[in-house]
Amino acid sequence: MSSPPRLFISYSWSTSEHEQWVVDLATELVNSGVDVVLDKWDLREGHDSIAFMEKMVTDSSISKVILVCDQVYASKADGRAGGVGTETQIISAEVYAKQSQDKFVAVIAEKNDAGKPCLPTYYKSRIYVDLSESDRYAENFEKLLRWIFDKPLYLKPEIGKPPSFIIEPDAPALGTSALAKRVIEGVKADKGYVRGALDEYLSLFSEHLERFRISDDESEMDDRIVKSIEDFTPSRNELIQIITALAQYTDPQAYVSRIHRFFESILPYLSRPPHVNRWSETDFDNFKFIVHEMFLYVIAVLLRSEHIESATYLLSQSYYVPSNSDYGKNATVSYTAFREYMKSLEIRNQRLKSNRLSIRADLLEQRSKTSGVQFRHVMQSDFVCFLRADLTNTDSYDRWWPETLLYATRHYGPFELFARSTSKTYLSRTLSLLGVPNLDLLKAKLDEYASDRTNPPRWQFESISSSVLVGFDQLGTKE
C-alpha cells in the first residue's frame, strides 16, 4: 500500500476562531487519509518558525501545500501589513515563485465585503477551492481531496483512432458541402433563394446516398456496415446543421413539407433496388441505420427548439412508396418504416462475443457525441416516436422500437417535452404530437403498459417506465 500524501498548511494566525477552523480542516484531512503537517502539531518551542515554514515548502516529501486564505493572509502575503515575512506561517510571493506552482492550492476561508475571495495578488489568476460557504462545503472539500490525491473528477480519455472518413481518402462523400453552406448562409441572412437551395441540397443528398451502397469484398459484412455508418458521419452532421439553422432562424413549418418529401425519397434505400435480383437480408443494413438515425435527429432538433407542429407534421403524414417497392400493395407507409430491424448488428454481437444488450443503441449513443445534439434529446425523440406509434396504430407490425431508451432505463423523471406539458396550453400541443385528443387515451395506454410487463420495451432485465418518462400526474396541472 502506498504511503499517504504529505501536506503542509500555511495560514494566518488571524483570530482564535480562525485558528480553530484551520485545525478542524486539518483534522478532516487526516481522517480522510492525508498526512498533514501543521504548526500546532509539529512546531515545538524553541524551533525557528520561519525555517520550519520554508523547510515544509521546499521539502520533497511534502507533495502538496494549502494556502488558507482570509483577509489577513492576503494582506500580509502582499506585504501590506507589517512587512513580508513577519507572519511566519504565510508564504510570500518570493517563496511561492521558487517552487512548482502545481504544489500549491488556495483554500478560501473568507471573502471580502464585495463577496470576492481573499487571495494574495500573486495567486489571483489561479484556481482555488472555496470552503467559505457551508452549503457547498462538502462538495468543495471533495474537490480538495481529489487535488491532494491527484484523482480529478474528469479524466481526459485515451486518444482513439481517427474515423475512417478522415484517414481514408476513398471514403464516400455526398458532395453536398457547398450547397449546405449556401443553405445555412441563406437561412441566417433570410435570403429569398433558401427554398430553391434547400430543394437542390436535399435532392442531391438523396441521389448521392447511392454512393454509400455497400460493395462486396472479403471483410465481414457487419464490419462493412459499421464502417459505412462511420463514413456517413460528416453527411449526417451536415443535415443536422441545416435543420438546426431552420429551427433557429425560421419557422420550419415553411419547409417541413420539403423535409417530408426528402424522407420519402430515401425510403427506397431501405430495400432492394429494382435492378438487383440477388441479395441477402443484411445488404441494406447500413441504410437502415443511416435513415433511422437521420429521422431521429430531425425530430430531436425540432422538439428541442419547440417546433412541435413541424415534428407533428412529419409524424402524422404518410410517406409515398413506389409501386415496385418491397412494401407490398401499400402506396403509403407511416414514419415507422424508417426504423427497421438490422440483423447484421445481431450477427456482430454474436461474432465479437460483445454480450451487449443492443449494439444499435450503443452506436446511437456513441455517435451522438459528435452530433452537436445532446443524447437526451435523441432519447426524447425516440420515445415520442414509440409512444405515438403505439397510440395511433392498431397493426402490431406498425410499431416503433425505441432503441435509445435502453439508456433511459434509469431515467427518474420526465423528458423535457412532458415536463413543460404541465402547462395546459403546452399539453394540447404535446397531445397533438402523440396523435391523441385527450389525456384519457394516454392514461389508458400507460395503464396498459403498467399491467402488462411484457408490453413496454425491455432488454433482458432492463425496462423503461413510460409513466415516469411522461410524468403523467403533473400533465396539465398549470395554466
Side-chain angles (χ1 to χ4, degrees):
M1 185 175 179
S2 59
S3 58
R6 294 192 77 211
L7 175 143
F8 173 63
I9 297 182
S10 167
Y11 69 103
S12 168
W13 302 328
S14 307
T15 63
S16 58
E17 291 79 12
H18 179 66
E19 290 182 43
Q20 185 59 50
W21 188 93
V22 173
V23 171
D24 291 342
L25 172 62
T27 302
E28 279 190 89
L29 291 171
V30 170
N31 291 337
S32 300
V34 182
D35 182 5
V36 175
V37 177
L38 184 68
D39 64 335
K40 299 289 187 188
W41 300 336
D42 299 289
L43 182 62
R44 298 290 177 257
E45 290 78 2
H47 288 182
D48 186 328
S49 58
I50 296 177
F52 169 76
M53 185 273 291
E54 292 188 346
K55 180 178 184 300
M56 290 302 100
V57 173
T58 59
D59 191 337
S60 61
S61 72
I62 301 291
S63 59
K64 303 289 183 181
V65 176
I66 285 178
L67 318 177
V68 178
C69 296
D70 61 354
Q71 292 196 51
V72 173
Y73 191 101
S75 177
K76 291 187 175 180
D78 290 342
R80 297 193 300 269
V84 175
T86 59
E87 178 64 80
T88 56
Q89 280 294 97
I90 291 178
I91 294 174
S92 66
E94 289 78 7
V95 173
Y96 177 79
K98 291 177 184 178
Q99 301 297 313
S100 169
Q101 294 181 12
D102 292 338
K103 189 173 184 176
F104 299 85
V105 75
V107 169
I108 306 303
E110 183 182 26
K111 294 178 180 175
N112 61 25
D113 294 339
K116 302 292 184 181
C118 301
L119 288 167
T121 300
Y122 63 75
Y123 197 91
K124 291 287 187 185
S125 63
R126 290 179 55 78
I127 295 173
Y128 55 82
V129 178
D130 187 358
L131 296 183
S132 66
E133 298 176 4
S134 58
D135 59 337
R136 298 194 64 187
Y137 185 92
E139 174 188 348
N140 289 333
F141 182 77
E142 179 186 337
K143 290 181 182 179
L144 178 62
L145 281 178
R146 287 184 175 278
W147 174 78
I148 294 169
F149 284 93
D150 293 319
K151 297 291 183 183
L153 183 60
Y154 300 104
L155 293 175
K156 182 179 180 178
E158 293 184 9
I159 298 176
K161 67 176 184 178
S164 60
F165 64 82
I166 295 294
I167 61 177
E168 296 183 17
D170 60 342
L174 293 179
T176 53
S177 58
L179 273 173
K181 183 179 180 182
R182 177 171 167 79
V183 172
I184 292 172
E185 289 177 349
V187 168
K188 291 182 177 180
D190 194 23
K191 297 293 186 180
Y193 63 73
V194 170
R195 282 180 173 80
L198 179 62
D199 285 344
E200 190 178 355
Y201 167 79
L202 294 176
S203 177
L204 191 64
F205 191 116
S206 176
E207 178 185 345
H208 285 185
L209 194 56
E210 179 65 31
R211 296 178 179 180
F212 285 84
R213 193 170 297 282
I214 294 176
S215 58
D216 291 333
D217 61 35
E218 296 181 356
S219 63
E220 296 286 350
M221 184 62 173
D222 60 284
D223 281 341
R224 280 181 276 157
I225 288 165
V226 170
K227 180 181 180 302
S228 175
I229 291 168
E230 187 177 282
D231 288 342
F232 186 73
T233 304
S235 301
R236 178 206 65 175
N237 291 348
E238 189 179 85
L239 179 67
I240 291 172
Q241 289 167 10
I242 285 180
I243 302 300
T244 299
L246 291 173
Q248 287 181 340
Y249 297 98
T250 72
D251 180 359
Q253 279 289 84
Y255 303 96
V256 71
S257 63
R258 287 169 165 79
I259 298 168
H260 172 268
R261 289 297 180 92
F262 165 71
F263 278 107
E264 244 179 15
S265 72
I266 60 178
L267 259 175
Y269 285 102
L270 304 182
S271 55
R272 173 186 62 87
H275 64 276
V276 173
N277 296 318
R278 298 182 61 185
W279 71 97
S280 70
E281 186 180 353
T282 60
D283 282 355
F284 321 115
D285 274 11
N286 64 320
F287 289 130
K288 290 177 181 178
F289 185 97
I290 285 169
V291 173
H292 171 227
E293 185 183 47
M294 285 195 295
F295 191 78
L296 274 177
Y297 274 97
V298 169
I299 299 298
V301 170
L302 291 175
L303 294 182
R304 179 184 66 179
S305 304
E306 298 189 62
H307 293 295
I308 299 173
E309 289 70 27
S310 294
T312 302
Y313 183 94
L314 294 177
L315 295 178
S316 61
Q317 293 296 307
S318 296
Y319 293 81
Y320 170 75
V321 291
S323 58
N324 61 352
S325 71
D326 286 348
Y327 293 97
K329 296 180 180 179
N330 293 328
T332 60
V333 293
S334 77
Y335 71 89
T336 58
F338 297 121
R339 187 272 163 201
E340 289 197 10
Y341 169 67
M342 294 175 61
K343 185 177 181 179
S344 60
L345 296 185
E346 184 178 315
I347 293 172
R348 184 175 185 81
N349 205 8
Q350 294 171 354
R351 182 175 71 82
L352 299 180
K353 297 180 173 58
S354 303
N355 198 32
R356 300 297 299 171
L357 294 178
S358 172
I359 293 286
R360 193 169 186 172
D362 293 343
L363 280 173
L364 288 165
E365 190 274 335
Q366 292 159 12
R367 288 170 55 75
S368 71
K369 297 171 184 175
T370 60
S371 70
V373 178
Q374 293 181 349
F375 191 56
R376 62 187 177 92
H377 293 297
V378 181
M379 288 194 293
Q380 175 175 263
S381 168
D382 214 0
F383 182 57
V384 166
C385 289
F386 155 71
L387 201 53
R388 181 186 173 97
D390 262 18
L391 286 166
T392 60
N393 298 325
T394 56
D395 295 322
S396 59
Y397 70 86
D398 205 14
R399 297 192 70 187
W400 180 282
W401 182 261
E403 306 286 350
T404 65
L405 295 194
L406 171 59
Y407 284 84
T409 54
R410 292 179 175 82
H411 201 289
Y412 295 112
F415 283 122
E416 183 177 345
L417 173 77
F418 298 98
R420 294 187 184 279
S421 295
T422 55
S423 158
K424 292 180 180 179
T425 303
Y426 209 101
L427 175 61
S428 66
R429 301 169 70 199
T430 300
L431 291 176
S432 178
L433 176 71
L434 297 178
V436 291
N438 53 57
L439 278 176
D440 293 339
L441 293 175
L442 176 58
K443 184 177 187 303
K445 179 58 68 175
L446 296 177
D447 289 345
E448 180 185 325
Y449 292 152
S451 63
D452 182 1
R453 290 181 59 81
T454 64
N455 202 338
R458 299 185 64 82
W459 298 264
Q460 291 185 10
F461 301 108
E462 300 284 354
S463 65
I464 63 168
S465 171
S466 296
S467 295
V468 170
L469 299 181
V470 167
F472 183 84
D473 290 342
Q474 296 301 313
L475 296 179
T477 56
K478 299 178 182 177
E479 293 300 328

